[in-house]
Amino acid sequence: MTIINNTPRRLRLAMIGGGQGAFIGGVHRMAARLDDRFELVAGAFSSQAERNLATASELGIDEQRCYTDYAALLAGEAAREDGAQVVAIVTPNHLHYPAALASLEAGFHVVCEKPMTFSVEEAEQLAQAAEKSARHFVLMHNYAGYPLVQHARELIAEGVLGQLRHVQVEYIQEWLSEPPEADNRQAAWRLDPAQAGAAGCLGDIGVHAFQLAQFISGQRVSEVSAELVTAVPGRALDDNVQALLRFNGGARGMLWASQTAAGYENALTIRIIGEKASLQWAQEQPNELWLKPLNGPSQRLTRRDDWLSANIAQGVRVPGGHPEGYIEAFANLYQALADGYTSGEYPSWLPGIEDGVDGMRFIAAAITSHEAEGSWTPLHLSKASGASGGAP
Amino acid sequence: MTIINNTPRRLRLAMIGGGQGAFIGGVHRMAARLDDRFELVAGAFSSQAERNLATASELGIDEQRCYTDYAALLAGEAAREDGAQVVAIVTPNHLHYPAALASLEAGFHVVCEKPMTFSVEEAEQLAQAAEKSARHFVLMHNYAGYPLVQHARELIAEGVLGQLRHVQVEYIQEWLSEPPEADNRQAAWRLDPAQAGAAGCLGDIGVHAFQLAQFISGQRVSEVSAELVTAVPGRALDDNVQALLRFNGGARGMLWASQTAAGYENALTIRIIGEKASLQWAQEQPNELWLKPLNGPSQRLTRRDDWLSANIAQGVRVPGGHPEGYIEAFANLYQALADGYTSGEYPSWLPGIEDGVDGMRFIAAAITSHEAEGSWTPLHLSKASGASGGAP
Amino acid sequence: MTIINNTPRRLRLAMIGGGQGAFIGGVHRMAARLDDRFELVAGAFSSQAERNLATASELGIDEQRCYTDYAALLAGEAAREDGAQVVAIVTPNHLHYPAALASLEAGFHVVCEKPMTFSVEEAEQLAQAAEKSARHFVLMHNYAGYPLVQHARELIAEGVLGQLRHVQVEYIQEWLSEPPEADNRQAAWRLDPAQAGAAGCLGDIGVHAFQLAQFISGQRVSEVSAELVTAVPGRALDDNVQALLRFNGGARGMLWASQTAAGYENALTIRIIGEKASLQWAQEQPNELWLKPLNGPSQRLTRRDDWLSANIAQGVRVPGGHPEGYIEAFANLYQALADGYTSGEYPSWLPGIEDGVDGMRFIAAAITSHEAEGSWTPLHLSKASGASGGAP
Amino acid sequence: MTIINNTPRRLRLAMIGGGQGAFIGGVHRMAARLDDRFELVAGAFSSQAERNLATASELGIDEQRCYTDYAALLAGEAAREDGAQVVAIVTPNHLHYPAALASLEAGFHVVCEKPMTFSVEEAEQLAQAAEKSARHFVLMHNYAGYPLVQHARELIAEGVLGQLRHVQVEYIQEWLSEPPEADNRQAAWRLDPAQAGAAGCLGDIGVHAFQLAQFISGQRVSEVSAELVTAVPGRALDDNVQALLRFNGGARGMLWASQTAAGYENALTIRIIGEKASLQWAQEQPNELWLKPLNGPSQRLTRRDDWLSANIAQGVRVPGGHPEGYIEAFANLYQALADGYTSGEYPSWLPGIEDGVDGMRFIAAAITSHEAEGSWTPLHLSKASGASGGAP
């Protein structure tokens, strides 16, 4: 547990997106601030000039460093001696790729929202740019930041479950159950292919479920049989996804993502079935992890640093029984980036480019399978195997 | 609630199968006895003579009415003035069809275990025999006997959920996670195609999940995309099933059945997502039903007869907060049969031939889809639509 | 697990009380029937002649054996060669003592509802009568019949918890939250001192909580500090009880009983805190028992006969994951009585006279403490120590 | 919900206590930082010079503003133009009173840990000092910061529960179940009367439970019957407390606090029983609040700003289903202080001097009752009635 995790030297952070009325930008700011490792110094918060300036003012950002767009931000900050060191990209999807590419090329470390790009090709190009740049790229698969998610991954890597048999993952929400009102900014861009890409629910939260399944299991999805559903008529994109999975390590799996599931708020749940035991974790109760041995009593593991590895305990701030949540998990990705920036070593669990490439391959394969009446479709993984993000 | 649900005249019951060491036969006997509506008078409990007689003796059955096989039982009981009125068939699967067919033809009412037959053809022939016989056939989909399952079905029929969007059903167990020891009678026949049929887990519990999905939703599965898995090497039959579903009313769905899910005892769980609300029920906590309205607080409904319909409250024996379980739900099918025998009217929820025909079609379609690499496969339903078992 | 627990020879049972409209009489009948060890042969069901006869007719009892009162029943059945062997007393409280005393003196085994008597003196006299009679007396503290309650008791007796520190028990219900309507028979007699005795909620369910605390902990309450509350104005008896406890083995404890707790159905919950671990059990989820080791993951024990002792597994009818409930637990007391009748050995857990004497002492001491402004009041236990019901 | 809750002008914060190895100081710093409303500028972190400086260095505090003790800090900061505006006192208990008194007298706003003082007299003197000073005093009853705790308080104030009948509150932990090792700094001072005061568990967490009971119920405890227990032999202070309560509005209640409850991490749970409904909340699952209407389905309320009042929604940072926890609730007290500093209006829920005075009276009365064998002891409340902290 790291009660005192402050540091005299804060990294300087710039933000692209996250203007007033946005959701995730504010979360990034709280997460970056929580451990006192970042200071927000610049931003291109909105393409609407008025909103952009108002946001900067509210955030106490110098007007000089409130830029009209990402290109101006990158140029301006690169030119300053005290310029930003890290750029957070929190825009709608269509800007992820160009802004991330430009940020890397301009020499910035990057924190980027998912899905990483619009296509597999873009993802692969970004991967090349990242490799060339010697800068670190963090993909905001924030659920990997929960200590008990990381603990689940370690237990599996250590063989506690034995051979894995089945991965059951779902991520269901209710908030798009009804046609969105015109003024729901969050809904509007997510359902617009020009801003969201070819995938709706699949790209917004399905890809989180997919990443979590690979992340915890340590196996990669090799084939998918999927059906995309548009439950609310008139939408251009899917709002419900159901898929069967085959993993490269032999496990099978099922993935359900929905944004039209009445009564469910943010229900991301995963179960990993092994020959010797199973694991179960639910994001809405993130401070407990169920270890269910074959023919034995189920055990409720909590977020106690006395049984977490030192690496994971780094992301625990208060003792077991003192609940931590979404912001803390989110902050763990920022903390890991700051630690890595200083030490040069990034923890293997920190989601990055590889997760993004896999995610785009999953999206592409799911769409292909859907169009081919559910036939099993390979993901054409570039690397033979191994856990996403490397071995723990 | 029916605190006093005894009756002066008990129906006379004969049992085929259920010898010492069997599991489900004992449950049938407790269920039949609970409400004092049946008296066990005869049996052909086992093909092994010694076990057959020992069982009869233990049960206090007259040796004269302990028969060597079902044919002898049907002949013997039909010849008696005080002969059995109802036959319960609780054997391994391969005897369901011949014993049920013979029982109906011999003029007995039948309670039969699932899966009903080995094939769709047999199921359809049994359906014809049942129709011709004017006897009632109950298929032991016992989970339909839980009052809150029936209540869920009524809420949906009343439109509380609006248009249904998604049905998520799973039935997972751990007990076949390891190769069975030679002396595990329960495991042995379930994994032997000669006794179990072409489906392992799919036929043993997958068909329960399928029935429950149709039963509660009031929609029928029209197409399936499935994969059958044999997780434990060397088995002749599947022990894990994953499937995507399309329903005739427009809903989609997912079905997972497994007998190799370490840490799960008898976890049958269903969620029905509608445009206005969702429902959630889990067999291991059967005394609560979750009604989850869109954008409102989830509600925990309990087994209280003051908000159940009179028809359902008939199957409630003790007040809310006094838990009822598996045996009570099981007994509700026997109770409904006894009531129907007397009144001539059987409740619409009582599972029967139609559930059996649908179940066999589901099994056949799932196997076909599996062999065709997961392609969507129709169930060729004989009747256009409608809830399994009729509208409530 | 005892799937087949029938026996050729059923004990003959007579019932005092339990006429139409009563609650607990019907439960006794189902419980006695479940394992096929009892046959109801006679009854004095109601002091109202018409109701008495109607009940007998509904239950298929010979009119000859439907008696006008308990004295007639005892005389009539004692005179028959095929007379009842066991008498179940399920009347309002005021008849428990005289009917039980007369039954024992007439040579019958007795199953009696709680609270056992109106006073400590009556309880002690009944104890003497029982000892003299060589008949067995079962007090219907039915919650002791749950297998996991018995398992908790065994774990503590085996020292798994180490020295006990605290016992937290509560039994709360909502059903008397409002003034009862005139026609609520269940409420009416429970709030009438002439029928219920000096204690309302305290005697009706507080005594269950008290018995459970002693039963599981294996310690006896030596002193109590209590306050009786009448939450609904105008009642003659308490409907809410709060008490502090001191146990003879050094543990402390708290007891809360309420019948005016809106939103709670039948919430009997107990936690036992020890130096090495704690246990937690709740009647509304009776198929799980929480073992909570110090500084370790909590474990969810289920009702699996493979880790229950043989003695306890006798009361398990279906495998883990197949929920059992209130009726099954209730039936375990009848089953144990039938087994004991045959073998002459009654299990140590079976609640009896001693529980009744202790219960009446608890009621008396709680009232005394209440009247003395909460001062600690001793229970004047006649026997020095030891678990209620003897050591497991 | 306040996604963007930053402000250009941060309040300057100084900290007394919270050196390396301390627990709660780090939490205060994270909480103060989360919403970007405070900047830590000075500290007297430890009486050990080396630890003091090391802490300052780690936190990036100017060595000039790292003071040897609170007196030096107050003097030094008062003398600076850019001196601290708010002082956080996070020391062991014995320094709360002198440091808070001096801080107020020196013109600082104060955030102080509980218990507020060592005695009722000190508490009353501090209350006078606060009134005289025109500075705001926040007592860190952090559990009042949870949005759903505030919502529970509002529901009761609005009459949703009707007349209150019973308050059941408990706060149990396991961490002092065994004799503390010599090097456990957290345990050592809490069990040392010189640093902790006359109350151990009672003062450390019992007072939290007490405050929460008054806070949510809106009633004040008028009398207590208590027993203090030292479960681990050799301790100078209590480690387990059990008490009965009488409230000035007629409700009764029970309070259990323990730091020797094996298997429980930080289990603060409260239930409020009313004539029309009950409420239930548990700190370890803080994102749900149970509303349990009489004779109706229990409802699970979540932390959704669309049904919270605007005042409460101010303390919600992420949508329902995105769990918030201990740090966020803690931060809400800092946020409210910052808002009040600017606007001059402090929300009625913000715990302060009055909670501290009541808390000390409760501690004193509980000790008195304990010494008088559990007799009911009045709290001698100075103000006639009313919710702690004022009406919502």
Side-chain angles (χ1 to χ4, degrees):
Chain A
M1 198 164 72
T2 57
I3 286 305
I4 301 181
N5 37 22
N6 314 68
T7 181
R9 199 166 71 88
R10 302 184 186 118
L11 296 181
R12 296 183 296 277
L13 178 68
M15 183 165 280
I16 297 170
Q20 291 175 331
F23 161 55
I24 208 66
V27 175
H28 278 257
R29 289 191 291 266
M30 286 188 283
R33 198 158 54 225
L34 182 64
D35 297 316
D36 208 20
R37 303 290 294 278
F38 291 88
E39 186 176 6
L40 184 65
V41 296
F45 301 105
S46 173
S47 55
Q48 297 173 260
E50 198 176 357
R51 174 179 286 136
N52 192 19
L53 281 166
T55 307
S57 163
E58 191 179 45
L59 294 170
I61 301 295
D62 186 347
E63 218 171 289
Q64 301 282 322
R65 298 174 85 174
C66 176
Y67 301 93
T68 52
D69 55 32
Y70 73 80
L73 181 146
L74 297 175
E77 289 299 308
R80 297 177 68 106
E81 213 159 284
D82 66 346
Q85 296 153 308
V86 177
V87 168
I89 300 167
V90 299
T91 61
N93 303 349
H94 65 298
L95 290 174
H96 293 173
Y97 171 67
L101 189 67
S103 298
L104 286 170
E105 289 176 350
F108 294 94
H109 293 254
V110 174
V111 175
C112 184
E113 269 299 323
K114 37 45 56 187
M116 190 168 74
T117 61
F118 261 28
S119 69
V120 175
E121 291 68 33
E122 288 179 358
E124 289 173 339
Q125 282 164 23
L126 198 63
Q128 288 171 13
E131 200 161 344
K132 215 161 43 184
S133 74
R135 293 294 181 268
H136 204 80
F137 179 93
V138 174
L139 191 64
M140 192 41 83
H141 279 302
N142 54 295
Y143 299 111
Y146 278 109
L148 288 178
V149 165
Q150 297 173 25
H151 189 52
R153 180 171 169 262
E154 280 197 0
L155 290 174
I156 287 173
E158 289 163 5
V160 171
L161 270 59
Q163 184 81 13
L164 300 191
R165 289 179 170 168
H166 191 92
V167 176
Q168 188 80 7
V169 65
E170 63 184 50
Y171 192 164
I172 60 175
Q173 302 176 326
E174 71 179 343
W175 73 292
L176 295 179
S177 286
E178 296 176 311
E181 295 144 26
D183 61 346
N184 184 337
R185 292 169 53 82
Q186 297 303 321
W189 74 256
R190 279 177 173 81
L191 294 165
D192 171 13
Q195 295 181 79
C201 172
L202 173 63
D204 196 37
I205 59 174
V207 74
H208 266 314
F210 166 81
Q211 194 269 346
L212 193 67
Q214 292 202 149
F215 181 83
I216 294 182
S217 72
Q219 295 190 10
R220 286 187 169 189
V221 173
S222 51
E223 290 174 273
V224 61
S225 162
E227 178 171 48
L228 310 190
V229 180
T230 302
V232 175
R235 286 182 175 163
L237 295 172
D238 63 281
D239 51 21
N240 191 71
V241 181
Q242 51 184 18
L244 306 181
L245 309 174
R246 289 175 179 159
F247 289 80
N248 66 352
R252 308 304 166 90
M254 301 174 76
L255 182 151
W256 176 31
S258 179
Q259 294 179 314
T260 52
Y264 294 87
E265 294 188 326
N266 195 45
L268 171 60
T269 303
I270 188 163
R271 284 170 291 171
I272 318 272
I273 310 298
E275 58 180 351
K276 295 192 288 187
S278 297
L279 284 170
Q280 184 175 319
W281 181 82
Q283 193 270 155
E284 294 195 357
Q285 308 285 11
N287 298 296
E288 64 185 35
L289 170 67
W290 287 87
L291 175 62
K292 300 168 78 69
L294 178 61
N295 296 324
S298 294
Q299 296 177 34
R300 182 179 177 270
L301 305 178
T302 56
R303 203 199 65 248
R304 291 173 67 126
D305 59 347
D306 50 2
W307 58 53
L308 299 179
S309 68
N311 179 32
I312 295 174
Q314 184 71 12
V316 170
R317 291 168 188 80
V318 281
H322 299 71
E324 294 188 327
Y326 182 84
I327 296 172
E328 289 84 347
F330 215 101
N332 283 343
L333 280 75
Y334 272 96
Q335 189 194 77
L337 175 60
D339 283 344
Y341 189 96
T342 308
S343 69
E345 287 182 36
Y346 296 88
S348 69
W349 64 260
L350 186 61
I353 281 282
E354 203 174 342
D355 300 80
V357 174
D358 277 8
M360 294 317 299
R361 284 177 178 147
F362 173 68
I363 291 173
I367 293 173
T368 300
S369 171
H370 169 70
E371 290 170 350
E373 272 295 293
S375 68
W376 285 101
T377 303
L379 264 68
H380 294 305
L381 297 178
S382 52
K383 304 196 180 173
S385 74
S388 168
Chain B
M1 198 166 66
T2 56
I3 287 303
I4 301 180
N5 37 21
N6 315 66
T7 181
R9 200 166 69 87
R10 300 183 187 120
L11 297 180
R12 296 182 298 276
L13 177 68
M15 181 165 282
I16 298 171
Q20 290 175 331
F23 161 55
I24 208 66
V27 175
H28 277 258
R29 290 191 289 266
M30 287 188 284
R33 198 158 53 225
L34 183 62
D35 297 317
D36 208 21
R37 305 290 294 278
F38 291 87
E39 185 176 7
L40 184 65
V41 296
F45 301 106
S46 173
S47 55
Q48 298 174 258
E50 198 177 356
R51 173 178 288 135
N52 192 20
L53 281 166
T55 306
S57 163
E58 191 179 46
L59 294 170
I61 300 295
D62 185 347
E63 219 173 287
Q64 301 281 322
R65 299 174 84 171
C66 176
Y67 302 92
T68 53
D69 55 31
Y70 71 80
L73 182 146
L74 297 175
E77 291 299 308
R80 296 178 68 107
E81 214 161 279
D82 65 347
Q85 297 154 309
V86 177
V87 169
I89 300 168
V90 299
T91 62
N93 303 350
H94 65 297
L95 290 174
H96 294 174
Y97 171 66
L101 188 66
S103 298
L104 287 170
E105 290 178 351
F108 294 93
H109 294 255
V110 174
V111 175
C112 185
E113 270 298 322
K114 36 47 57 188
M116 190 167 74
T117 61
F118 261 29
S119 69
V120 175
E121 291 67 33
E122 288 179 359
E124 291 174 339
Q125 283 164 22
L126 199 62
Q128 288 172 12
E131 199 159 346
K132 215 160 46 183
S133 74
R135 292 296 179 268
H136 204 78
F137 179 94
V138 174
L139 191 64
M140 191 41 81
H141 279 301
N142 53 293
Y143 299 110
Y146 278 109
L148 288 178
V149 165
Q150 297 173 25
H151 190 50
R153 178 169 170 262
E154 280 196 1
L155 290 173
I156 286 172
E158 288 162 8
V160 171
L161 270 59
Q163 184 83 11
L164 300 192
R165 288 179 171 169
H166 192 91
V167 176
Q168 189 79 7
V169 65
E170 65 185 47
Y171 192 163
I172 60 176
Q173 302 176 327
E174 69 180 343
W175 73 292
L176 295 178
S177 286
E178 296 175 311
E181 294 144 28
D183 62 345
N184 185 335
R185 292 169 54 83
Q186 297 302 320
W189 73 254
R190 279 177 173 82
L191 294 165
D192 171 14
Q195 294 181 79
C201 172
L202 173 62
D204 196 38
I205 60 174
V207 73
H208 267 315
F210 165 81
Q211 193 269 347
L212 194 66
Q214 292 202 151
F215 181 83
I216 295 182
S217 72
Q219 295 190 9
R220 285 187 171 189
V221 173
S222 51
E223 290 173 275
V224 61
S225 161
E227 178 171 48
L228 310 190
V229 180
T230 302
V232 175
R235 286 182 174 161
L237 295 172
D238 62 281
D239 52 21
N240 191 69
V241 181
Q242 49 185 20
L244 306 181
L245 310 174
R246 288 175 179 159
F247 288 80
N248 67 351
R252 309 303 166 94
M254 299 172 77
L255 181 150
W256 177 31
S258 180
Q259 293 179 315
T260 53
Y264 294 87
E265 294 188 327
N266 196 43
L268 171 60
T269 304
I270 188 164
R271 285 170 290 171
I272 317 271
I273 311 298
E275 61 180 348
K276 296 193 289 188
S278 296
L279 284 170
Q280 183 175 319
W281 181 83
Q283 193 269 156
E284 295 196 356
Q285 310 284 14
N287 297 297
E288 62 185 37
L289 170 68
W290 287 88
L291 174 61
K292 300 168 76 70
L294 178 62
N295 296 323
S298 294
Q299 296 178 34
R300 181 179 178 270
L301 305 178
T302 56
R303 202 199 66 248
R304 291 174 66 127
D305 59 347
D306 49 2
W307 59 54
L308 299 179
S309 68
N311 178 30
I312 296 175
Q314 183 72 12
V316 171
R317 290 167 189 81
V318 280
H322 300 69
E324 294 187 326
Y326 182 84
I327 296 172
E328 288 84 345
F330 215 101
N332 283 343
L333 279 76
Y334 273 96
Q335 190 194 77
L337 174 61
D339 283 345
Y341 189 96
T342 309
S343 70
E345 287 183 35
Y346 297 89
S348 68
W349 64 261
L350 186 61
I353 281 281
E354 202 175 342
D355 299 80
V357 174
D358 277 8
M360 294 317 299
R361 284 177 177 148
F362 172 68
I363 290 173
I367 293 173
T368 301
S369 171
H370 169 70
E371 290 170 350
E373 273 296 290
S375 67
W376 284 101
T377 304
L379 264 67
H380 295 305
L381 297 177
S382 52
K383 303 195 179 174
S385 75
S388 168
Chain C
M1 198 164 69
T2 57
I3 287 303
I4 301 180
N5 39 22
N6 315 68
T7 181
R9 199 167 70 87
R10 302 184 185 118
L11 297 180
R12 296 182 297 276
L13 179 69
M15 183 165 279
I16 297 169
Q20 290 176 331
F23 161 55
I24 209 65
V27 175
H28 278 256
R29 290 191 290 266
M30 287 188 283
R33 197 158 54 225
L34 183 64
D35 296 317
D36 207 21
R37 304 290 294 279
F38 291 87
E39 186 175 6
L40 184 65
V41 297
F45 301 106
S46 173
S47 56
Q48 298 173 258
E50 197 176 358
R51 173 179 287 135
N52 192 20
L53 281 167
T55 306
S57 163
E58 190 179 46
L59 293 170
I61 301 294
D62 185 348
E63 219 172 287
Q64 302 281 323
R65 299 174 83 172
C66 176
Y67 302 92
T68 52
D69 55 32
Y70 72 81
L73 180 146
L74 297 174
E77 291 298 308
R80 297 177 68 107
E81 213 160 281
D82 64 347
Q85 297 153 306
V86 177
V87 168
I89 300 167
V90 298
T91 62
N93 303 349
H94 66 296
L95 291 174
H96 293 173
Y97 172 68
L101 189 65
S103 298
L104 287 169
E105 290 176 349
F108 294 93
H109 293 255
V110 174
V111 176
C112 184
E113 269 300 322
K114 33 49 54 187
M116 191 166 75
T117 61
F118 260 29
S119 69
V120 176
E121 292 66 33
E122 287 179 357
E124 289 173 338
Q125 283 163 21
L126 198 61
Q128 288 170 11
E131 200 160 345
K132 215 162 42 186
S133 75
R135 293 294 180 268
H136 204 79
F137 180 92
V138 174
L139 191 63
M140 192 41 83
H141 280 301
N142 53 293
Y143 299 111
Y146 278 109
L148 288 178
V149 165
Q150 297 174 24
H151 190 51
R153 179 171 170 262
E154 279 196 1
L155 290 174
I156 287 172
E158 290 162 6
V160 171
L161 271 58
Q163 184 81 13
L164 300 191
R165 289 179 170 168
H166 191 92
V167 177
Q168 188 80 8
V169 66
E170 63 184 51
Y171 192 162
I172 60 176
Q173 302 176 325
E174 70 180 341
W175 75 291
L176 295 179
S177 286
E178 295 175 310
E181 295 143 26
D183 62 347
N184 185 337
R185 291 170 54 82
Q186 297 302 321
W189 74 255
R190 279 177 173 81
L191 295 164
D192 171 14
Q195 294 181 80
C201 172
L202 173 62
D204 196 36
I205 60 174
V207 75
H208 267 314
F210 166 81
Q211 193 269 346
L212 194 67
Q214 292 202 150
F215 181 82
I216 294 182
S217 71
Q219 294 191 10
R220 286 189 169 187
V221 173
S222 51
E223 290 174 273
V224 62
S225 162
E227 178 170 48
L228 310 190
V229 181
T230 302
V232 175
R235 286 181 175 163
L237 295 172
D238 62 282
D239 51 22
N240 191 70
V241 180
Q242 51 184 19
L244 306 181
L245 310 174
R246 289 176 181 159
F247 288 80
N248 66 351
R252 308 304 166 91
M254 300 173 77
L255 181 150
W256 176 31
S258 180
Q259 294 180 313
T260 52
Y264 294 87
E265 295 188 325
N266 195 43
L268 171 60
T269 303
I270 188 163
R271 284 171 291 170
I272 318 272
I273 311 298
E275 60 180 349
K276 296 192 289 186
S278 297
L279 285 170
Q280 184 174 319
W281 181 82
Q283 194 268 155
E284 295 195 356
Q285 309 284 13
N287 297 296
E288 63 185 36
L289 170 67
W290 287 89
L291 175 61
K292 300 168 76 71
L294 177 61
N295 296 323
S298 294
Q299 297 176 35
R300 182 179 178 269
L301 305 177
T302 56
R303 203 199 65 250
R304 291 173 67 126
D305 59 347
D306 49 2
W307 59 53
L308 299 179
S309 69
N311 178 31
I312 296 174
Q314 184 72 12
V316 171
R317 291 169 188 79
V318 281
H322 300 70
E324 293 188 327
Y326 182 84
I327 296 172
E328 288 85 346
F330 216 101
N332 284 343
L333 279 76
Y334 273 96
Q335 190 193 77
L337 174 60
D339 283 345
Y341 189 96
T342 308
S343 70
E345 287 182 36
Y346 297 88
S348 69
W349 64 259
L350 186 61
I353 281 281
E354 203 175 342
D355 300 80
V357 174
D358 278 7
M360 294 317 299
R361 285 176 177 148
F362 173 69
I363 290 173
I367 292 172
T368 301
S369 172
H370 169 71
E371 289 169 351
E373 272 296 293
S375 68
W376 284 101
T377 304
L379 265 66
H380 294 305
L381 296 178
S382 52
K383 303 195 180 174
S385 73
S388 168
Chain D
M1 198 165 67
T2 57
I3 286 302
I4 301 180
N5 37 24
N6 314 66
T7 181
R9 200 164 69 87
R10 301 182 185 120
L11 297 180
R12 294 182 298 277
L13 179 68
M15 182 165 281
I16 297 170
Q20 291 176 330
F23 162 55
I24 208 66
V27 175
H28 277 258
R29 290 191 290 267
M30 287 187 285
R33 197 158 54 226
L34 183 64
D35 296 317
D36 208 20
R37 304 290 295 278
F38 291 88
E39 185 176 6
L40 184 65
V41 297
F45 301 107
S46 173
S47 56
Q48 298 173 258
E50 197 177 355
R51 173 178 286 133
N52 193 19
L53 281 167
T55 307
S57 163
E58 191 179 46
L59 295 170
I61 300 294
D62 185 347
E63 220 171 287
Q64 301 281 324
R65 300 174 83 171
C66 175
Y67 301 93
T68 52
D69 56 31
Y70 72 80
L73 181 146
L74 296 174
E77 291 299 308
R80 297 178 68 107
E81 213 160 281
D82 65 348
Q85 297 154 308
V86 176
V87 169
I89 300 167
V90 298
T91 62
N93 304 349
H94 65 297
L95 291 174
H96 293 174
Y97 170 67
L101 189 66
S103 297
L104 287 170
E105 290 176 351
F108 295 92
H109 294 255
V110 174
V111 176
C112 184
E113 269 300 322
K114 34 49 54 188
M116 191 166 76
T117 62
F118 261 28
S119 69
V120 175
E121 293 64 33
E122 288 179 358
E124 290 173 339
Q125 283 164 21
L126 199 62
Q128 288 171 12
E131 200 159 348
K132 213 160 48 184
S133 74
R135 293 295 179 267
H136 204 78
F137 180 92
V138 175
L139 190 63
M140 191 42 81
H141 279 301
N142 53 294
Y143 299 110
Y146 279 109
L148 288 179
V149 165
Q150 297 174 24
H151 189 51
R153 179 170 170 262
E154 280 196 1
L155 290 174
I156 287 172
E158 289 162 7
V160 171
L161 270 59
Q163 183 83 12
L164 300 191
R165 289 179 171 169
H166 192 91
V167 176
Q168 189 80 7
V169 67
E170 64 184 48
Y171 192 163
I172 60 175
Q173 302 176 327
E174 69 180 343
W175 74 291
L176 295 178
S177 287
E178 295 174 311
E181 294 144 28
D183 61 345
N184 185 337
R185 292 170 53 83
Q186 297 302 320
W189 74 253
R190 280 178 172 81
L191 294 166
D192 170 16
Q195 295 181 78
C201 171
L202 173 63
D204 196 38
I205 59 175
V207 75
H208 267 314
F210 165 80
Q211 193 269 347
L212 194 66
Q214 290 202 151
F215 182 82
I216 294 182
S217 72
Q219 294 190 11
R220 285 188 172 190
V221 173
S222 51
E223 290 173 274
V224 62
S225 163
E227 178 171 48
L228 310 190
V229 181
T230 302
V232 175
R235 286 183 174 160
L237 294 172
D238 63 282
D239 53 20
N240 191 71
V241 182
Q242 50 184 20
L244 306 181
L245 310 174
R246 289 176 180 159
F247 289 80
N248 66 352
R252 309 303 166 92
M254 301 172 76
L255 181 150
W256 177 31
S258 181
Q259 293 179 312
T260 52
Y264 294 87
E265 294 187 327
N266 196 43
L268 171 60
T269 303
I270 188 163
R271 285 170 291 171
I272 318 272
I273 310 299
E275 60 181 348
K276 295 192 289 186
S278 297
L279 284 170
Q280 184 175 320
W281 180 83
Q283 193 268 157
E284 295 196 357
Q285 309 284 14
N287 297 296
E288 62 184 38
L289 170 68
W290 287 87
L291 175 61
K292 299 167 77 68
L294 178 61
N295 296 324
S298 294
Q299 296 177 32
R300 181 179 177 269
L301 304 178
T302 57
R303 203 199 64 250
R304 291 174 66 127
D305 59 347
D306 49 2
W307 58 52
L308 299 179
S309 69
N311 179 31
I312 296 174
Q314 183 71 13
V316 171
R317 290 166 189 82
V318 281
H322 299 71
E324 293 188 327
Y326 182 84
I327 297 172
E328 289 83 347
F330 216 101
N332 284 343
L333 279 75
Y334 273 96
Q335 191 194 77
L337 175 60
D339 284 345
Y341 189 97
T342 308
S343 70
E345 287 183 35
Y346 297 88
S348 69
W349 65 260
L350 186 62
I353 282 282
E354 202 174 343
D355 300 80
V357 174
D358 278 8
M360 293 317 300
R361 284 176 178 149
F362 172 68
I363 289 172
I367 293 172
T368 301
S369 172
H370 169 70
E371 291 169 351
E373 272 296 290
S375 68
W376 285 101
T377 304
L379 264 66
H380 294 305
L381 296 178
S382 53
K383 305 196 178 174
S385 76
S388 168

